[in-house]
Amino acid sequence: MNGLAALAFIVLFSQCAGKTDNQTTSTPAQANAELSGMKIAYVEIDTLLAKYNFCIDLNEAMVKKSENVRMTLNQKATSLNKEKQDFQKKVENNAFLSQDRAQQEYNRLVKLEQDLQELSNKLQNGLMEENNKNSLQFRDSINAFLKEYNKTHGYSLIFSNTGFDNLLYADSTFNITKEIVDGLNARYSPVKK
């Protein structure tokens, strides 16, 4: 049965492939004529990320917050580990008055460990949310600037280029990265700390 279906598919495909009536194909010359009226440019995103002061400030703030989160979690983890070691020594030395008291202390340490994990998750999620918010602000800032910039420059398309991800080749005369970075930085006024 599968062989018949495959044969039918091949026959159907060959019939469709052979029909060229009512199809219009454009030659490269026609395509060039259509594109010749377009004004195109590109922006190197890596350069924009490295030189746009707003992005630099956002990154520095995120690095500081990440470092604060890491330090807070490390301090709490160190404190918890010390308490666990003390508990282990007490168990080994039979320092607890009863098995019930040892179990209570063990349960307290388990609860502290769960609380630390919850705090870690909460802080990490907060960092991710803030990073997402910053990304939106960054994108909105660029989009708003490009909309205003393009009113006087009249580009039909402005591409983004990250390494070799989007553009395999582009003449450097179409690169407007420096203009965009300069314009964004001229417009940006950092928030006073």
Side-chain angles (χ1 to χ4, degrees):
M1 186 72 170
N2 288 339
L4 287 174
L7 182 60
F9 178 73
I10 291 171
V11 170
L12 182 63
F13 180 77
S14 64
Q15 288 176 346
C16 291
K19 294 185 181 179
T20 57
D21 298 341
N22 299 329
Q23 292 182 357
T24 59
T25 57
S26 60
T27 64
Q30 289 171 324
N32 284 340
E34 291 173 12
L35 291 176
S36 65
M38 293 181 71
K39 191 173 175 186
I40 299 173
Y42 70 93
V43 175
E44 294 173 341
I45 297 299
D46 296 342
T47 303
L48 188 66
L49 292 172
K51 295 185 176 182
Y52 181 22
N53 293 334
F54 178 60
C55 183
I56 292 168
D57 290 349
L58 287 177
N59 285 336
E60 286 176 1
M62 284 304 295
V63 165
K64 286 179 185 175
K65 287 181 182 182
S66 295
E67 185 64 23
N68 287 340
V69 164
R70 189 187 63 74
M71 283 177 31
T72 298
L73 293 175
N74 282 346
Q75 287 172 347
K76 291 187 178 292
T78 300
S79 176
L80 179 61
N81 285 335
K82 185 178 179 327
E83 286 190 54
K84 285 175 154 181
Q85 290 170 353
D86 290 345
F87 172 76
Q88 186 62 36
K89 285 179 187 175
K90 287 179 180 179
V91 168
E92 290 170 0
N93 295 328
N94 291 324
F96 289 103
L97 298 176
S98 67
Q99 182 64 28
D100 192 40
R101 178 63 191 112
Q103 187 63 43
Q104 287 174 352
E105 182 62 13
Y106 175 79
N107 291 342
R108 186 184 74 81
L109 292 173
V110 167
K111 174 74 169 110
L112 286 175
E113 193 166 28
Q114 290 170 345
D115 291 347
L116 179 59
Q117 186 59 47
E118 288 174 13
L119 177 63
S120 175
N121 292 340
K122 178 182 174 185
L123 293 175
Q124 295 297 334
N125 287 338
L127 284 174
M128 285 191 327
E129 287 174 14
E130 185 156 355
N131 196 35
N132 289 338
K133 183 187 82 161
N134 289 345
S135 293
L136 285 174
Q137 285 180 327
F138 175 71
R139 188 173 59 225
D140 289 347
S141 169
I142 292 171
N143 287 341
F145 176 78
L146 285 175
K147 187 180 256 185
E148 197 61 36
Y149 172 87
N150 206 37
K151 285 180 182 177
T152 58
H153 291 82
Y155 287 102
S156 300
L157 290 171
I158 299 176
F159 291 100
S160 66
N161 184 30
T162 307
F164 289 108
D165 288 348
N166 299 324
L167 278 158
L168 296 177
Y169 172 78
D171 189 323
S172 62
T173 58
F174 296 111
N175 186 348
I176 60 170
T177 306
K178 182 172 178 7
E179 287 178 55
I180 300 302
V181 169
D182 291 346
L184 284 166
N185 283 335
R187 208 175 99 147
Y188 173 64
S189 54
V191 176
K192 303 292 183 216
K193 295 178 183 178

